[in-house]
Amino acid sequence: MPDLFSVTALTMKGKEIMKRFFLFCGIALCGMALSNSALAQKFDGLALTPPMGWNSWNKFGCDVDERMIREIAEAMVASGMRDAGYRYLVIDDCWEGKRDSLGFIHPDPQRFPSGMKALGDFIHSQGLKFGIHSCAGDKTCAGREGARGHEYQDAIAYASWGIDYLKYDWCSTEGLNAVGAYTTMRNALRAAGRPIVFSLCEWGDNKPWEWAKDVGHLWRTTGDITNCFDCEVNHGTWSSWGVMKIVEMRKGIRAFAGPDHWNDPDMLEVGNGMAPGEDRAHFSLWCLMAAPLIAGNDVRAMDKGTAEILFNREVIAIDQDSLGFQGYRHSADDSLEVWVKPLVKDNWAVCFLNRSAKNRSLDFDWTKNTIADEFSDRKIDPEGKQYALRDLWGKRNLGTTRRPLRAEVASHDVLLLMLTKR
Ligand code: GLA
């Protein structure tokens, strides 16, 4: 008689099912108890600088499967992307399949036949971290299984698959309270016991910057980005937004961001079809804003120009500065803007952005343009101190703040400078 039908095997199988059931009940009960106690808190210290990684949505939408994800992981390593700091590989919407009779979620069996644990093991073997998407509602934005009512169970599944990062969406949530829904998932993740970066994605509708510091590590501030410099793409009931539209969307929220709790203006569109100058401007502004740097291009087919933007370590260092101050627009003269960010050691990043359709010439006298930031209590004081200037895209030194800066800034492009105190 085959072993499967022997009494011992049946008993073993029964025991295994009982074990899983009691484990689930135990963790769920423990989770409920924890959620009411002071222990229910986010995992601290997982995002002391803005998270960096890659996400499938901007380029591939619903078209995700395990073969493509494995290829992306390999390309992230081979291209040098991982070593430039991009650690999280996040599968966005559409990985989800059905729930089983106990309510546990499983991946789409056609697209992910080997299962999420095997995929996670592979991603980890590449020195990367594994991220996934879900939704606070019954359904995700693409109509797959959402987590509503299954939060503790889903958190257990994520922990067992080795998930390191959860992006948690906000579709199909009519009547739900955002603070409650996101706090429930935070508590569920905590109860499951695996440290997971928690990325809130409710588009800024409920002002998460005011309440999410203790709930998650980053929160979306706006609707979805799209791959254009300044357009709006109308989808009927909602719109997606070009880079400059996103930049204009939320004002006065920089004081809410800092280490372990970031404003997230959405993922990067670098390499997805904008002009090189526009990609540079987009990337520079995201670094100035201390935004999470989650690339969204096809890493397997990345051209040299895209790699030069995404992997520019001097620019990435602005984003990853350990003080974690979000930069801001210092001035706007017609369509020539000056963006600044205070950095460690009294250094600054200064970015001249040309939003117009024509090239603009720049004549910037540091002694006549005092740059002072009340929030960080810092000031560029060229009378008292000298700063060395370095053009981070041109990779050349440009003298000091002693002399006015004269330069040409191309249309839809930036001149990005690092100011190092001497
Ligand atoms: C929302 C999010 C996007 C993406 C899609 C997936 O629109 O804002 O970033 O996750 O859902 O359906």
Side-chain angles (χ1 to χ4, degrees), residues 7 11 59 96 132 251 315 317 337 353 393 421:
V7 177
T11 319
K59 178 72 184 178
E96 298 94 341
I132 210 165
K251 304 268 164 58
V315 181
E337 300 184 352
L353 163 72
W393 292 120
K421 198 178 138 196

Side-chain angles (χ1 to χ4, degrees), residues 374-390:
E374 260 178 45
F375 174 60
S376 65
D377 194 21
R378 276 150 203 265
K379 189 173 171 184
I380 300 183
D381 178 9
E383 304 284 7
K385 307 162 196 158
Q386 288 298 310
Y387 297 84
L389 304 180
R390 180 162 168 80

Side-chain angles (χ1 to χ4, degrees), residues 57 92-93 133 141-142 167 169 201 203 220 224 266-267:
W57 185 254
D92 209 286
D93 210 340
H133 164 276
C141 302
K167 170 179 171 182
D169 225 328
C201 178
W203 319 307
R220 278 273 293 279
D224 287 11
D266 205 358
M267 304 173 292

